[in-house]
């Protein structure tokens, strides 16, 4: 998305160049995905957690070193949506 329409570039020293537009798309679709997953699993998320999921995904994707975003982004969203609360404990 960012390569096609992204005009505003930025770069974090250890990551590849990104676009602001691409980062916004990551945030929006992560938030939409969090809503869908919450509904699918019967645990709808409050708006604040949906927004946190989008922000966490965009932040993790922007800061991820090359080829590590496939691990970092889902982990960030899981943490932002309360994954540790739902993981259960001993």
């Amino acid at each position: 998305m960012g390569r096609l329409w992204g005009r505003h570039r930025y770069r974090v020293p250890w990551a590849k160049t990104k676009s602001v537009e691409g980062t916004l798309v990551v945030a929006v679709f992560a938030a939409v995905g969090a809503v869908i997953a919450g509904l699918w699993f019967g645990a709808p998320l409050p708006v604040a957690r949906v927004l946190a999921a989008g922000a966490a995904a965009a932040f993790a994707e922007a800061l991820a070193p090359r080829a590590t975003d496939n691990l970092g982004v889902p982990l960030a969203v899981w943490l932002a949506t309360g994954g540790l609360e739902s993981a259960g404990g001993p």
Side-chain angles (χ1 to χ4, degrees), residues 24-41:
L24 290 174
V25 168
V26 168
V28 168
F29 278 92
V32 168
V35 168
I36 292 170
L39 294 172
W40 181 269
F41 291 109

Side-chain angles (χ1 to χ4, degrees), residues 34-81:
V35 168
I36 292 170
L39 294 172
W40 181 269
F41 291 109
L45 296 171
V47 173
R49 287 207 177 167
V50 169
L51 295 175
F59 188 71
E61 195 266 341
L63 296 180
R66 292 182 181 269
T68 62
D69 58 345
N70 289 334
L71 175 65
V73 172
L75 178 61
V77 171
W78 181 71
L79 291 170
T81 57

